[in-house]
Amino acid sequence: MDDRELVYLGAARQAELVRAGKVSARRLVEAALHRAERLDHRLGAFRVLLAERALAEADARDAALAAGGPGADGPLLGVPVAVKDELDVAGEVTTFGGAANLTPVPHDSEAVRRLRDAGAVIIGKTTMPEFGQWPFTESAAHGYARNPWNTTRTTGGSSGGSAAAVAAGLAGAALGGDGGGSIRIPAACCGLFGLKPQRGRVPTAPHPHLWYALGTIGPLTRTVLDSALLYDVLSGPADGDRWTARPARTSFVHAASTEPGRLRIAYSAEPAVPGVRPHPEHVAALDDTVRILRELGHDVREADPRYPDTTAAFLPQFCGGVRAEAATVERPDLLELRTRRTLRLARLAPEAAVERAVRAGERMAERAGRCFAGADLLLTPTLAARPRKVGALDGAGTTAAMLRSLPMIAYTALWNVTGHPAASVPAGFGSDGLPLAVQLVGREHEETTVLQVAAQLEAVRPWAGRTPDLPY
């Protein structure tokens, strides 16, 4: 097997080969780093590559395997994993996508620690818009992240660097964060599987929350099984968590490998944001998925979701989240002009207003839950618009950036307000050569059902075998 095949195998298969002694962790990591060093100047996926540290960590994984001691059977043994630059990696600066932090942090975040304990090798930190505010991965400090399928197009955001790294074979998997669609949107743009977990499923430590009730941490992966494997590693409460999800009824890997039986699935092309119209190819991808699900034996029916208007819950938490993260940086004078304008807007949402918005979101979760009164899952498009050209944020202040963001978040942000699990599932390719996707939304705490049906769709129209036309 050559290195080009290795880098596209995905996390589960890569770890399996390392544990079996067929590939060394060092070879896996070298292959990913070599590819990143050759291609990332075109993609902008990484803010920093940790080559020396990653190779030393890979050697330690190989030594543990040879000795048969602790760490020799980790579920992610030797897998090169990238980490979004809002999560702490010991010895590195957490930039939040900007230039206002300068000092390396002393400890890994809890999610990164769990990855290492499972045998993963952290190879770098990925790009994001400042504080993850936008569904486009563009920043004054680090430039554009570019879509591996067409480098003139956006990766989406805010976990766009992580998505580009996995889609281009620069990492076996990558961590992202989702506060309004920031895992699902770049997954949809880049042809990956991206599951936003139930709120509280993955700890946000050392912070009690990520953008209050909106934010979750999770992986972007090539396959459903890869995502399930990482969630089994990442899930579970930690000290200081503000929210904790109900324990899953089975392991996520087991769910991804198990048929769900006949389910009731509602579907709708209606966006949750008024005034936004979905692209016709996204509606066609939805209709094609409905056909496949019916052929799989599910009871699939069109529904009128009657989504609640979540603006009063989302916007104050958005403002409060940006304000809370901005308060931690060392050089606020180095924040982007657009961010400083957002912070002026945030003054209109004091802490008491943010907490009222959290409670309003909890009430909206009850209303949104009516979508599942007669259904186990809800199927929608992931995006309303096709991935636009890079430079979406050029010249835009806060208001213009918000307006340009609406077609990207029109199906996703609602589920951050309510906390429901939701996944972007690849659904073929558009006439522009870029990926298409649909969104599966589960009942509260029911990621397992989402994974089961996503795995069925993957089996019918496998997406991981197709890769961007990039040189090795």
Side-chain angles (χ1 to χ4, degrees):
M1 184 179 297
D2 64 25
D3 284 356
R4 182 180 172 84
E5 291 178 279
L6 276 179
V7 296
Y8 280 123
L9 287 178
R13 182 65 177 141
Q14 287 176 341
E16 180 184 327
L17 290 174
V18 173
R19 287 194 301 272
K22 296 180 179 180
V23 173
S24 68
R26 185 179 182 93
R27 183 182 169 196
L28 265 185
V29 171
E30 282 182 334
L33 290 172
H34 175 73
R35 192 162 172 80
E37 288 160 358
R38 289 194 56 178
L39 295 179
D40 199 46
H41 71 284
R42 295 174 54 188
L43 298 174
F46 283 97
R47 199 271 298 172
V48 62
L49 276 172
L50 309 176
E52 289 187 14
R53 291 180 60 187
L55 289 171
E57 198 167 353
D59 288 341
R61 302 288 184 256
D62 288 331
L65 181 64
D73 60 350
L76 295 174
L77 189 65
V79 176
V81 176
V83 175
K84 186 180 180 182
D85 208 8
E86 65 185 351
L87 301 172
D88 291 348
V89 171
E92 298 299 320
V93 179
T94 301
T95 73
F96 296 102
N101 267 345
L102 306 171
T103 303
V105 298
H107 305 293
D108 288 337
S109 66
E110 179 64 14
V112 172
R113 184 194 68 77
R114 292 182 181 190
L115 290 179
R116 289 197 206 269
D117 284 353
V121 176
I122 307 304
I123 63 167
K125 304 200 76 181
T126 58
T127 51
M128 58 182 289
E130 193 162 59
F131 300 126
Q133 296 170 77
W134 313 112
F136 311 104
T137 301
E138 303 176 6
S139 71
H142 308 298
Y144 305 142
R146 296 175 180 271
N147 196 315
W149 296 95
N150 180 339
T151 55
T152 70
R153 300 287 168 167
T154 183
T155 58
S158 62
S159 306
S162 289
V166 178
L170 314 187
L175 278 192
D178 194 316
S182 292
I183 289 172
R184 290 159 288 158
I185 292 166
C189 289
C190 296
L192 302 175
F193 180 72
L195 168 65
K196 180 196 82 69
Q198 172 69 34
R199 178 187 300 141
R201 180 68 65 198
V202 178
T204 55
H207 310 292
H209 58 77
L210 178 63
W211 276 22
Y212 294 84
L214 298 180
T216 58
I217 295 168
L220 292 108
T221 61
R222 298 196 61 76
T223 71
V224 176
L225 179 61
D226 288 349
S227 182
L229 180 64
L230 267 80
Y231 273 116
D232 277 339
V233 167
L234 294 167
S235 298
D239 291 344
D241 287 349
R242 180 166 176 179
W243 285 279
T244 301
R246 189 168 64 228
R249 53 186 170 85
T250 185
S251 79
F252 294 121
V253 165
H254 182 263
S257 309
T258 305
E259 292 289 322
R262 189 172 189 263
L263 298 177
R264 301 165 301 168
I265 302 175
Y267 74 94
S268 175
E270 183 69 23
V273 174
V276 173
R277 298 185 66 179
H279 191 282
E281 291 192 49
H282 294 186
V283 177
L286 177 71
D287 291 340
D288 187 55
T289 306
V290 167
R291 175 189 60 79
I292 292 171
L293 291 170
R294 284 174 175 159
E295 290 175 355
L296 288 167
H298 298 297
D299 178 8
V300 188
R301 302 184 185 187
E302 189 169 11
D304 178 3
R306 298 184 182 180
Y307 299 123
D309 182 354
T310 59
T311 306
F314 182 86
L315 191 57
Q317 292 183 75
F318 168 87
C319 289
V322 174
R323 184 176 61 231
E325 291 181 346
T328 69
V329 302
E330 300 166 73
R331 291 287 305 275
D333 57 304
L334 297 181
L335 293 172
E336 292 179 7
L337 175 60
R338 183 169 42 245
T339 299
R340 296 201 295 274
R341 290 173 175 168
T342 302
L343 291 171
R344 287 199 289 271
L345 176 65
R347 294 193 189 103
L348 302 176
E351 192 68 18
V354 175
E355 292 297 334
R356 285 196 298 273
V358 171
R359 294 191 293 274
E362 292 168 350
R363 293 191 296 272
M364 289 173 188
E366 295 179 9
R367 291 179 58 193
R370 297 171 191 167
C371 297
F372 304 97
D376 302 295
L377 292 169
L378 174 66
L379 175 70
T380 75
T382 304
L383 307 174
R386 301 301 290 140
R388 63 185 292 167
K389 288 185 177 180
V390 295
L393 298 179
D394 288 356
T398 297
T399 302
M402 286 181 173
L403 291 174
R404 294 176 194 181
S405 298
L406 289 180
M408 302 295 278
I409 68 168
Y411 292 98
T412 58
L414 163 69
W415 307 110
N416 294 83
V417 172
T418 67
H420 288 71
S424 182
V425 183
F429 288 81
S431 59
D432 56 8
L434 292 167
L436 294 166
V438 293
Q439 179 178 231
L440 281 172
V441 186
R443 296 174 181 268
E444 288 184 294
H445 307 277
E446 280 293 324
E447 294 98 325
T448 49
T449 307
V450 175
L451 289 167
Q452 287 177 308
V453 174
Q456 286 188 308
L457 291 171
E458 182 181 37
V460 172
R461 53 182 184 203
W463 56 78
R466 185 166 173 179
T467 58
D469 184 19
L470 294 166
Y472 182 74

mmCIF file of all heavy atoms in Angstrom, residues 151-190:
data_model
loop_
_atom_site.group_PDB
_atom_site.id
_atom_site.type_symbol
_atom_site.label_atom_id
_atom_site.label_comp_id
_atom_site.label_asym_id
_atom_site.label_seq_id
_atom_site.Cartn_x
_atom_site.Cartn_y
_atom_site.Cartn_z
ATOM 1 N N THR A 151 -10.114 24.898 -5.278
ATOM 2 C CA THR A 151 -9.449 25.811 -4.344
ATOM 3 C C THR A 151 -9.871 27.268 -4.516
ATOM 4 O O THR A 151 -9.419 28.124 -3.757
ATOM 5 C CB THR A 151 -7.920 25.696 -4.465
ATOM 6 O OG1 THR A 151 -7.525 25.909 -5.823
ATOM 7 C CG2 THR A 151 -7.444 24.331 -4.002
ATOM 8 N N THR A 152 -10.743 27.556 -5.476
ATOM 9 C CA THR A 152 -11.314 28.900 -5.541
ATOM 10 C C THR A 152 -12.527 29.034 -4.635
ATOM 11 O O THR A 152 -13.058 30.131 -4.478
ATOM 12 C CB THR A 152 -11.741 29.265 -6.973
ATOM 13 O OG1 THR A 152 -12.887 28.494 -7.358
ATOM 14 C CG2 THR A 152 -10.598 29.042 -7.954
ATOM 15 N N ARG A 153 -12.975 27.921 -4.031
ATOM 16 C CA ARG A 153 -14.213 27.909 -3.257
ATOM 17 C C ARG A 153 -13.956 27.743 -1.763
ATOM 18 O O ARG A 153 -12.926 27.209 -1.337
ATOM 19 C CB ARG A 153 -15.125 26.773 -3.748
ATOM 20 C CG ARG A 153 -15.519 26.897 -5.202
ATOM 21 C CD ARG A 153 -16.520 28.011 -5.420
ATOM 22 N NE ARG A 153 -16.698 28.327 -6.828
ATOM 23 C CZ ARG A 153 -17.688 29.091 -7.294
ATOM 24 N NH1 ARG A 153 -18.579 29.595 -6.443
ATOM 25 N NH2 ARG A 153 -17.768 29.370 -8.575
ATOM 26 N N THR A 154 -14.932 28.158 -0.980
ATOM 27 C CA THR A 154 -14.804 28.098 0.471
ATOM 28 C C THR A 154 -14.911 26.671 0.988
ATOM 29 O O THR A 154 -15.569 25.817 0.384
ATOM 30 C CB THR A 154 -15.882 28.965 1.144
ATOM 31 O OG1 THR A 154 -15.691 28.958 2.569
ATOM 32 C CG2 THR A 154 -17.289 28.452 0.848
ATOM 33 N N THR A 155 -14.268 26.453 2.123
ATOM 34 C CA THR A 155 -14.452 25.216 2.876
ATOM 35 C C THR A 155 -15.677 25.285 3.772
ATOM 36 O O THR A 155 -16.026 24.300 4.430
ATOM 37 C CB THR A 155 -13.258 24.973 3.810
ATOM 38 O OG1 THR A 155 -13.139 26.111 4.695
ATOM 39 C CG2 THR A 155 -11.969 24.791 3.041
ATOM 40 N N GLY A 156 -16.323 26.451 3.833
ATOM 41 C CA GLY A 156 -17.293 26.664 4.904
ATOM 42 C C GLY A 156 -16.552 26.950 6.197
ATOM 43 O O GLY A 156 -15.339 27.132 6.240
ATOM 44 N N GLY A 157 -17.290 27.009 7.281
ATOM 45 C CA GLY A 157 -16.677 27.298 8.555
ATOM 46 C C GLY A 157 -17.657 27.035 9.693
ATOM 47 O O GLY A 157 -18.804 26.672 9.451
ATOM 48 N N SER A 158 -17.199 27.167 10.922
ATOM 49 C CA SER A 158 -15.900 27.749 11.180
ATOM 50 C C SER A 158 -14.770 26.722 11.272
ATOM 51 O O SER A 158 -13.613 27.096 11.398
ATOM 52 C CB SER A 158 -15.948 28.553 12.487
ATOM 53 O OG SER A 158 -16.264 27.706 13.585
ATOM 54 N N SER A 159 -15.104 25.429 11.170
ATOM 55 C CA SER A 159 -14.066 24.395 11.253
ATOM 56 C C SER A 159 -13.532 24.043 9.868
ATOM 57 O O SER A 159 -13.262 22.883 9.555
ATOM 58 C CB SER A 159 -14.632 23.137 11.934
ATOM 59 O OG SER A 159 -15.211 23.439 13.181
ATOM 60 N N GLY A 160 -13.358 25.065 9.037
ATOM 61 C CA GLY A 160 -12.977 24.833 7.656
ATOM 62 C C GLY A 160 -11.568 24.308 7.482
ATOM 63 O O GLY A 160 -11.310 23.509 6.574
ATOM 64 N N GLY A 161 -10.633 24.731 8.326
ATOM 65 C CA GLY A 161 -9.286 24.189 8.243
ATOM 66 C C GLY A 161 -9.265 22.704 8.559
ATOM 67 O O GLY A 161 -8.578 21.915 7.890
ATOM 68 N N SER A 162 -10.036 22.304 9.564
ATOM 69 C CA SER A 162 -10.134 20.881 9.907
ATOM 70 C C SER A 162 -10.733 20.079 8.762
ATOM 71 O O SER A 162 -10.265 18.986 8.435
ATOM 72 C CB SER A 162 -10.983 20.709 11.172
ATOM 73 O OG SER A 162 -10.303 21.182 12.314
ATOM 74 N N ALA A 163 -11.771 20.623 8.114
ATOM 75 C CA ALA A 163 -12.401 19.922 7.003
ATOM 76 C C ALA A 163 -11.452 19.782 5.829
ATOM 77 O O ALA A 163 -11.349 18.713 5.214
ATOM 78 C CB ALA A 163 -13.672 20.653 6.577
ATOM 79 N N ALA A 164 -10.739 20.840 5.503
ATOM 80 C CA ALA A 164 -9.794 20.786 4.386
ATOM 81 C C ALA A 164 -8.704 19.760 4.656
ATOM 82 O O ALA A 164 -8.291 19.022 3.752
ATOM 83 C CB ALA A 164 -9.185 22.163 4.146
ATOM 84 N N ALA A 165 -8.225 19.690 5.898
ATOM 85 C CA ALA A 165 -7.157 18.749 6.240
ATOM 86 C C ALA A 165 -7.595 17.309 6.026
ATOM 87 O O ALA A 165 -6.852 16.488 5.472
ATOM 88 C CB ALA A 165 -6.707 18.965 7.683
ATOM 89 N N VAL A 166 -8.803 16.969 6.444
ATOM 90 C CA VAL A 166 -9.279 15.585 6.299
ATOM 91 C C VAL A 166 -9.625 15.283 4.849
ATOM 92 O O VAL A 166 -9.260 14.235 4.309
ATOM 93 C CB VAL A 166 -10.482 15.331 7.222
ATOM 94 C CG1 VAL A 166 -11.020 13.916 7.036
ATOM 95 C CG2 VAL A 166 -10.078 15.541 8.686
ATOM 96 N N ALA A 167 -10.311 16.207 4.176
ATOM 97 C CA ALA A 167 -10.720 15.968 2.796
ATOM 98 C C ALA A 167 -9.530 15.806 1.863
ATOM 99 O O ALA A 167 -9.593 15.050 0.892
ATOM 100 C CB ALA A 167 -11.608 17.105 2.316
ATOM 101 N N ALA A 168 -8.430 16.490 2.160
ATOM 102 C CA ALA A 168 -7.242 16.443 1.306
ATOM 103 C C ALA A 168 -6.243 15.374 1.729
ATOM 104 O O ALA A 168 -5.176 15.260 1.123
ATOM 105 C CB ALA A 168 -6.558 17.813 1.305
ATOM 106 N N GLY A 169 -6.567 14.590 2.750
ATOM 107 C CA GLY A 169 -5.665 13.541 3.186
ATOM 108 C C GLY A 169 -4.481 14.025 3.979
ATOM 109 O O GLY A 169 -3.449 13.367 4.053
ATOM 110 N N LEU A 170 -4.620 15.186 4.643
ATOM 111 C CA LEU A 170 -3.544 15.717 5.484
ATOM 112 C C LEU A 170 -3.671 15.238 6.926
ATOM 113 O O LEU A 170 -2.773 15.477 7.722
ATOM 114 C CB LEU A 170 -3.556 17.256 5.467
ATOM 115 C CG LEU A 170 -3.711 17.961 4.120
ATOM 116 C CD1 LEU A 170 -3.533 19.464 4.303
ATOM 117 C CD2 LEU A 170 -2.757 17.424 3.078
ATOM 118 N N ALA A 171 -4.775 14.598 7.265
ATOM 119 C CA ALA A 171 -5.010 14.067 8.608
ATOM 120 C C ALA A 171 -6.025 12.948 8.504
ATOM 121 O O ALA A 171 -6.896 12.960 7.624
ATOM 122 C CB ALA A 171 -5.530 15.167 9.550
ATOM 123 N N GLY A 172 -5.918 11.973 9.414
ATOM 124 C CA GLY A 172 -6.881 10.881 9.428
ATOM 125 C C GLY A 172 -8.234 11.303 9.953
ATOM 126 O O GLY A 172 -9.261 10.713 9.609
ATOM 127 N N ALA A 173 -8.257 12.329 10.787
ATOM 128 C CA ALA A 173 -9.477 12.911 11.342
ATOM 129 C C ALA A 173 -9.075 14.260 11.925
ATOM 130 O O ALA A 173 -7.879 14.548 12.080
ATOM 131 C CB ALA A 173 -10.091 12.026 12.420
ATOM 132 N N ALA A 174 -10.067 15.085 12.235
ATOM 133 C CA ALA A 174 -9.766 16.391 12.824
ATOM 134 C C ALA A 174 -10.878 16.795 13.767
ATOM 135 O O ALA A 174 -12.049 16.473 13.541
ATOM 136 C CB ALA A 174 -9.586 17.449 11.738
ATOM 137 N N LEU A 175 -10.496 17.504 14.818
ATOM 138 C CA LEU A 175 -11.483 18.062 15.743
ATOM 139 C C LEU A 175 -11.958 19.415 15.240
ATOM 140 O O LEU A 175 -11.177 20.226 14.746
ATOM 141 C CB LEU A 175 -10.888 18.237 17.139
ATOM 142 C CG LEU A 175 -10.830 17.028 18.065
ATOM 143 C CD1 LEU A 175 -10.483 17.481 19.471
ATOM 144 C CD2 LEU A 175 -12.141 16.250 18.067
ATOM 145 N N GLY A 176 -13.261 19.646 15.394
ATOM 146 C CA GLY A 176 -13.851 20.938 15.126
ATOM 147 C C GLY A 176 -14.740 21.340 16.273
ATOM 148 O O GLY A 176 -14.790 20.677 17.321
ATOM 149 N N GLY A 177 -15.457 22.421 16.078
ATOM 150 C CA GLY A 177 -16.449 22.870 17.037
ATOM 151 C C GLY A 177 -17.642 23.380 16.267
ATOM 152 O O GLY A 177 -17.508 23.856 15.141
ATOM 153 N N ASP A 178 -18.831 23.306 16.855
ATOM 154 C CA ASP A 178 -20.063 23.647 16.147
ATOM 155 C C ASP A 178 -20.936 24.514 17.033
ATOM 156 O O ASP A 178 -21.537 24.042 17.994
ATOM 157 C CB ASP A 178 -20.801 22.363 15.759
ATOM 158 C CG ASP A 178 -21.907 22.579 14.742
ATOM 159 O OD1 ASP A 178 -22.673 23.550 14.915
ATOM 160 O OD2 ASP A 178 -22.004 21.783 13.790
ATOM 161 N N GLY A 179 -20.991 25.830 16.694
ATOM 162 C CA GLY A 179 -21.830 26.745 17.448
ATOM 163 C C GLY A 179 -23.008 27.278 16.655
ATOM 164 O O GLY A 179 -23.808 28.043 17.181
ATOM 165 N N GLY A 180 -23.087 26.905 15.364
ATOM 166 C CA GLY A 180 -24.197 27.318 14.524
ATOM 167 C C GLY A 180 -24.231 26.515 13.234
ATOM 168 O O GLY A 180 -24.949 26.841 12.303
ATOM 169 N N GLY A 181 -23.398 25.471 13.222
ATOM 170 C CA GLY A 181 -23.251 24.630 12.035
ATOM 171 C C GLY A 181 -21.806 24.389 11.677
ATOM 172 O O GLY A 181 -21.498 23.862 10.602
ATOM 173 N N SER A 182 -20.894 24.748 12.564
ATOM 174 C CA SER A 182 -19.477 24.832 12.212
ATOM 175 C C SER A 182 -18.755 23.506 12.033
ATOM 176 O O SER A 182 -17.610 23.492 11.595
ATOM 177 C CB SER A 182 -18.727 25.675 13.252
ATOM 178 O OG SER A 182 -19.141 27.011 13.170
ATOM 179 N N ILE A 183 -19.397 22.378 12.356
ATOM 180 C CA ILE A 183 -18.914 21.067 11.931
ATOM 181 C C ILE A 183 -19.648 20.656 10.656
ATOM 182 O O ILE A 183 -19.041 20.213 9.673
ATOM 183 C CB ILE A 183 -19.118 20.005 13.024
ATOM 184 C CG1 ILE A 183 -18.159 20.247 14.193
ATOM 185 C CG2 ILE A 183 -18.915 18.596 12.480
ATOM 186 C CD1 ILE A 183 -18.423 19.359 15.403
ATOM 187 N N ARG A 184 -20.970 20.813 10.650
ATOM 188 C CA ARG A 184 -21.790 20.334 9.536
ATOM 189 C C ARG A 184 -21.570 21.125 8.256
ATOM 190 O O ARG A 184 -21.531 20.556 7.154
ATOM 191 C CB ARG A 184 -23.269 20.386 9.943
ATOM 192 C CG ARG A 184 -23.647 19.353 11.008
ATOM 193 C CD ARG A 184 -24.915 19.754 11.742
ATOM 194 N NE ARG A 184 -24.688 20.881 12.625
ATOM 195 C CZ ARG A 184 -25.637 21.700 13.070
ATOM 196 N NH1 ARG A 184 -26.892 21.523 12.686
ATOM 197 N NH2 ARG A 184 -25.337 22.697 13.892
ATOM 198 N N ILE A 185 -21.409 22.427 8.357
ATOM 199 C CA ILE A 185 -21.234 23.252 7.157
ATOM 200 C C ILE A 185 -19.940 22.903 6.415
ATOM 201 O O ILE A 185 -19.972 22.643 5.205
ATOM 202 C CB ILE A 185 -21.303 24.748 7.525
ATOM 203 C CG1 ILE A 185 -22.721 25.112 7.977
ATOM 204 C CG2 ILE A 185 -20.873 25.625 6.355
ATOM 205 C CD1 ILE A 185 -22.827 26.459 8.673
ATOM 206 N N PRO A 186 -18.778 22.886 7.071
ATOM 207 C CA PRO A 186 -17.565 22.491 6.329
ATOM 208 C C PRO A 186 -17.578 21.033 5.888
ATOM 209 O O PRO A 186 -17.009 20.699 4.851
ATOM 210 C CB PRO A 186 -16.428 22.785 7.308
ATOM 211 C CG PRO A 186 -17.055 22.919 8.640
ATOM 212 C CD PRO A 186 -18.452 23.383 8.418
ATOM 213 N N ALA A 187 -18.233 20.156 6.659
ATOM 214 C CA ALA A 187 -18.384 18.776 6.200
ATOM 215 C C ALA A 187 -19.145 18.748 4.884
ATOM 216 O O ALA A 187 -18.781 18.030 3.941
ATOM 217 C CB ALA A 187 -19.090 17.938 7.256
ATOM 218 N N ALA A 188 -20.232 19.519 4.792
ATOM 219 C CA ALA A 188 -21.028 19.571 3.571
ATOM 220 C C ALA A 188 -20.234 20.145 2.406
ATOM 221 O O ALA A 188 -20.323 19.653 1.279
ATOM 222 C CB ALA A 188 -22.290 20.400 3.810
ATOM 223 N N CYS A 189 -19.456 21.179 2.655
ATOM 224 C CA CYS A 189 -18.677 21.808 1.587
ATOM 225 C C CYS A 189 -17.565 20.898 1.079
ATOM 226 O O CYS A 189 -17.201 20.960 -0.103
ATOM 227 C CB CYS A 189 -18.070 23.117 2.084
ATOM 228 S SG CYS A 189 -19.254 24.460 2.349
ATOM 229 N N CYS A 190 -17.027 20.066 1.962
ATOM 230 C CA CYS A 190 -15.818 19.296 1.633
ATOM 231 C C CYS A 190 -16.054 17.807 1.468
ATOM 232 O O CYS A 190 -15.095 17.041 1.311
ATOM 233 C CB CYS A 190 -14.749 19.543 2.700
ATOM 234 S SG CYS A 190 -14.171 21.254 2.779
#
